[in-house]
Amino acid sequence: MADHQRVHPAGDPEAPQAPTAPLVPPYASKSDNGDPAPRDNGYYPPPPVQRTIPVVHSRPPKRRRSCCCKCFCWTFSFLALLILAIAITAGILFLAFRPKLPKYSVDALQITQFAPANNGSLSASFNVNITARNPNKKIGIYYEGGSRISVLYDGEQLCQGALPKFYQGHRNTTVLVVPLSGQTQNATGLLSQLQAEQQATGSIPLNLRVRQPVRVKLGKLKLFKVKFSVRCQLKVNNLSEDSSIRITSSSCKFRLRL
């Protein structure tokens, strides 16, 4: 019975040890042997702070951009339909009326004045015979006011005038006599060049330009006003007063401008 009541002294290595709390905090790191790896001063560092990276969501497209795209699509569709409608209308009108360009020619030129003045200027007065032909069967032409016709030599204007207002019907030919007059300053060099060219080539080149506003009549419908231009290249034998002026060559080009 003495064996059962044996008292173990303090510090006896064979005495059973009471369980104690672990010396390593649960969040401390451990060494390869399973023991904690403290620093030199025995302090266990706190666990590293784990930062959460915020999730950036892409913004949805703005409504304003969507509205702009819709407006652009509607505008483009409207313009496409408008161009298509204009093309169809123009095609129908072309097939119905078969339009042809008018033709113009310069048939005669009469010089009533072409003389230098004492101050070196040049005064010129011409009468130009112009033939206008309308070859269309169903189209008439209204020649409106505000026209301008001029005669030039080497880019220098000699005289100018205007066509009269008139209506030219279907398949009509009209002969016009248009008076032109003008004055050129410092024309001494121009006269010398003109005489030298006449002696060298036997002819003098002139340019005749016409700018005319017109209204086209399709059947009974009178359209809006448009402008056309005519450019004629002429060659005459001389530019002397009271002499027979002969046109050796003439060619005209017609151009329509809206």
Side-chain angles (χ1 to χ4, degrees):
M1 188 169 180
D3 294 335
H4 294 284
Q5 295 180 352
R6 184 179 181 180
V7 179
H8 298 281
D12 190 352
E14 294 182 0
Q17 300 290 331
T20 60
L23 298 179
V24 180
Y27 53 81
S29 59
K30 296 183 179 181
S31 63
D32 295 338
N33 298 328
D35 298 330
R39 293 185 179 180
D40 296 338
N41 55 2
Y43 172 74
Y44 294 95
V49 178
Q50 297 183 356
R51 296 181 180 179
T52 38
I53 301 176
V55 179
V56 180
H57 299 280
S58 59
R59 295 183 178 179
K62 295 182 178 180
R63 192 172 181 180
R64 183 179 178 184
R65 183 178 300 177
S66 177
C67 293
C68 292
C69 292
K70 289 182 179 180
C71 291
F72 176 77
C73 292
W74 279 108
T75 305
F76 180 79
S77 301
F78 175 76
L79 291 177
L81 291 175
L82 181 62
I83 293 174
L84 181 61
I86 293 175
I88 293 174
T89 305
I92 294 174
L93 292 176
F94 180 83
L95 294 176
F97 293 94
R98 299 286 182 177
K100 296 179 182 179
L101 294 178
K103 297 179 180 180
Y104 302 90
S105 62
V106 179
D107 303 323
L109 179 66
Q110 181 184 3
I111 298 178
T112 58
Q113 183 183 9
F114 195 80
N118 295 330
N119 58 359
S121 62
L122 174 66
S123 298
S125 296
F126 296 175
N127 289 331
V128 183
N129 289 22
I130 300 176
T131 300
R133 298 179 178 87
N134 179 16
N136 296 282
K137 296 180 181 180
K138 303 178 181 179
I139 299 177
I141 303 174
Y142 287 92
Y143 288 80
E144 303 287 342
S147 66
R148 181 180 179 182
I149 177 172
S150 57
V151 175
L152 300 91
Y153 169 75
D154 194 25
E156 190 73 28
Q157 180 175 296
L158 302 178
C159 53
Q160 66 177 4
L163 294 175
K165 294 176 60 175
F166 68 98
Y167 171 73
Q168 189 174 29
H170 312 152
R171 289 188 172 181
N172 177 266
T173 300
T174 305
V175 179
L176 305 170
V177 179
V178 185
L180 309 176
S181 61
Q183 189 173 20
T184 305
Q185 303 296 328
N186 302 323
T188 304
L190 180 66
L191 287 172
S192 301
Q193 181 182 353
L194 192 149
Q195 293 175 357
E197 186 164 5
Q198 181 181 4
Q199 293 176 359
T201 61
S203 62
I204 300 173
L206 299 176
N207 291 327
L208 186 142
R209 297 178 181 178
V210 180
R211 293 182 179 179
Q212 175 68 48
V214 298
R215 289 182 183 270
V216 178
K217 184 180 180 183
L218 300 178
K220 296 183 179 181
L221 179 62
K222 191 175 181 180
L223 300 183
F224 54 89
K225 184 184 294 187
V226 296
K227 293 183 179 181
F228 71 80
S229 62
V230 179
R231 293 190 177 188
C232 299
Q233 294 182 351
L234 312 175
K235 284 187 178 181
V236 298
N237 58 344
N238 65 79
L239 288 178
S240 302
E241 289 186 38
D242 301 328
S243 61
S244 177
I245 308 298
R246 183 169 54 90
I247 299 176
T248 58
S249 67
S250 173
S251 63
C252 298
K253 293 182 179 180
F254 175 87
R255 184 178 179 182
L256 183 65
R257 298 188 305 170
L258 299 179

